[in-house]
Amino acid sequence: MLISRLIREVNKKWFVVRKRTTQNVQSARDAVVRGAIIVVCAIFVIWLSVFLYTAFYYTYMPSMSYVRPVHLQFKSCDEEKGICSFPSAHVQLTNKQQLLMIGQAYKVNLHLEMPESPANRELGMFMVCAQLRSRDGFLVDHSCRSTMLHYRSTLLHALTTLTFSPMMIFGNVEEKQDVVLELFGNFEEDQSHPVTIIYIQIQSRHIEFYSASLMINAHLTGLRYLMFHWPTLSAIVGIGTNLFFIALVCTLSYLHIVVDEENTDENFSYEKGEDEDEKDNKTVSELSSSETSSLQESPISEDIKSKKKSFLSRTPETIGGEPSYIQEISTLLAEASSSDK
């Protein structure tokens, strides 16, 4: 007996220890799984915020500048030197897709590389005209601007030549000027007629130039200006905002799911309690029916039934000479009580 009791106690303690160990391992496993899920969700939310901000940046921000070379053409003179027509060029911006963004203002500048030759100094001011046309030849906008070489006196020109003469000898510096002419200051693309061709004409037959190029720069304002000039601050604010709203949505969704599960558990327990109540009521009704059946089988109940039948078989009588129904009922009850005693 002592050995069996000792073995039983040892088995009981071993079972308790094993159960506690299993519970601890299960709780540690659940904690690790929950921590891993939280870490994975946090990494996913962060990368999703970064992706959303990057997609918004490249969708919302336009390309800052487009550069196209301008190949000016003219008609040469047959009898004398120089050119006999205004230099002009058709600049192809795009062939199929739309180049400029709708609703964004752009600046269109013409860059002329002109030598400081006597002809250009004597040229003075000259006009440059530009036309913006769509693919079907529709004239979207046009403008004309005047420009000239920057003035430098003879003394300043001599000092500059003397100072930079060593580099001019080796070809590192040239006697030239870059003239920047703004043709359109606040141009916005028309969605129905996107610009594909720019026609440029220099209205002077005595101009001399090395090269020309067309530059289209986006004129940023508002949020685009902040996002371009302060990219780090804009990225921090944008990613933080996305992170806040995504975390808020995830938290509200989790709370909604938890509340639904709790309501489901409460409804299940309530339905279970109702079933138990129904079972109890059924048991009570069965007991009452059995009691009534036992009472029906007793001789007292048979006597009461026979008296009730005789009472119901009687015809109603007048109240004046015979006893009323109330008196007969009272007599029946008295007889039943006396028989019980």
Side-chain angles (χ1 to χ4, degrees):
M1 291 295 292
L2 182 60
I3 296 173
S4 62
R5 185 179 298 174
L6 182 61
I7 293 171
R8 194 181 299 115
E9 292 293 332
V10 169
N11 290 330
K12 187 183 295 183
K13 289 183 179 180
W14 171 251
F15 177 76
V16 172
V17 170
R18 188 173 60 181
K19 186 176 181 181
R20 289 180 180 177
T21 306
T22 306
Q23 291 177 355
N24 293 331
V25 170
Q26 186 66 29
S27 61
R29 187 183 300 172
D30 294 339
V32 171
V33 171
R34 289 177 183 175
I37 292 173
I38 291 172
V39 171
V40 170
C41 292
I43 294 173
F44 175 74
V45 168
I46 292 172
W47 278 108
L48 182 61
S49 302
V50 174
F51 172 76
L52 290 176
Y53 177 77
T54 305
F56 172 75
Y57 182 87
Y58 283 102
T59 304
Y60 184 70
M61 290 294 294
S63 298
M64 289 305 301
S65 63
Y66 302 96
V67 180
R68 296 290 186 273
V70 179
H71 303 288
L72 294 168
Q73 298 178 357
F74 55 88
K75 184 179 180 182
S76 302
C77 296
D78 297 333
E79 298 178 356
E80 57 183 13
K81 296 180 181 180
I83 58 178
C84 291
S85 64
F86 294 151
S88 61
H90 287 82
V91 181
Q92 186 78 27
L93 295 182
T94 180
N95 292 325
K96 295 181 180 180
Q97 61 183 0
Q98 186 174 341
L99 182 66
L100 305 180
M101 182 178 288
I102 302 297
Q104 173 62 44
Y106 291 91
K107 290 183 178 181
V108 182
N109 299 328
L110 178 65
H111 291 246
L112 289 174
E113 188 178 1
M114 301 173 61
E116 292 181 343
S117 61
N120 285 336
R121 290 180 189 172
E122 296 175 359
L123 179 62
M125 298 183 66
F126 58 92
M127 296 291 294
V128 179
C129 294
Q131 296 179 357
L132 303 178
R133 294 184 178 274
S134 61
R135 187 179 294 106
D136 55 357
F138 180 79
L139 180 61
V140 179
D141 199 357
H142 71 283
S143 67
C144 292
R145 298 288 186 269
S146 61
T147 186
M148 64 177 294
L149 284 177
H150 296 286
Y151 173 76
R152 288 197 296 178
S153 64
T154 306
L155 179 61
L156 181 60
H157 182 69
L159 292 174
T160 305
T161 304
L162 183 63
T163 304
F164 292 100
S165 58
M167 290 180 284
M168 290 179 182
I169 292 172
F170 290 102
N172 295 325
V173 178
E174 296 181 4
E175 292 183 285
K176 64 179 182 179
Q177 291 186 16
D178 291 329
V179 179
V180 179
L181 179 62
E182 184 179 300
L183 299 175
F184 299 93
N186 194 20
F187 173 74
E188 293 186 7
E189 182 77 301
D190 188 4
Q191 188 174 4
S192 57
H193 299 284
V195 176
T196 58
I197 299 174
I198 299 179
Y199 175 74
I200 296 175
Q201 185 182 53
I202 300 176
Q203 297 181 353
S204 176
R205 295 189 298 109
H206 304 286
I207 188 174
E208 295 176 351
F209 55 87
Y210 288 138
S211 63
S213 61
L214 190 69
M215 183 173 290
I216 303 175
N217 298 321
H219 180 60
L220 301 179
T221 56
L223 181 60
R224 288 173 177 167
Y225 181 84
L226 296 175
M227 291 177 67
F228 180 77
H229 290 281
W230 288 279
T232 306
L233 180 62
S234 301
I236 292 172
V237 174
I239 294 173
T241 304
N242 293 334
L243 186 62
F244 172 75
F245 282 106
I246 293 172
L248 181 63
V249 170
C250 293
T251 305
L252 293 177
S253 302
Y254 176 75
L255 293 176
H256 182 69
I257 292 171
V258 169
V259 169
D260 288 342
E261 289 180 354
E262 290 180 354
N263 292 332
T264 305
D265 294 338
E266 289 178 358
N267 292 330
F268 178 74
S269 61
Y270 179 72
E271 291 177 356
K272 187 176 180 181
E274 285 184 348
D275 294 337
E276 291 178 355
D277 293 338
E278 289 178 357
K279 289 181 181 179
D280 294 337
N281 293 329
K282 188 175 181 181
T283 306
V284 171
S285 61
E286 290 177 356
L287 291 173
S288 61
S289 61
S290 62
E291 289 177 357
T292 51
S293 61
S294 62
L295 287 173
Q296 287 176 1
E297 293 175 357
S298 62
I300 300 170
S301 60
E302 291 178 358
D303 189 9
I304 293 172
K305 281 182 180 181
S306 60
K307 290 182 178 180
K308 188 183 292 184
K309 287 180 180 179
S310 63
F311 172 74
L312 292 174
S313 61
R314 294 178 184 179
T315 56
E317 298 175 355
T318 58
I319 302 174
E322 297 292 332
S324 62
Y325 294 113
I326 298 173
Q327 292 178 355
E328 292 192 5
I329 291 171
S330 61
T331 55
L332 286 173
L333 291 175
E335 292 176 357
S337 61
S338 61
S339 62
D340 292 334
K341 289 179 181 180

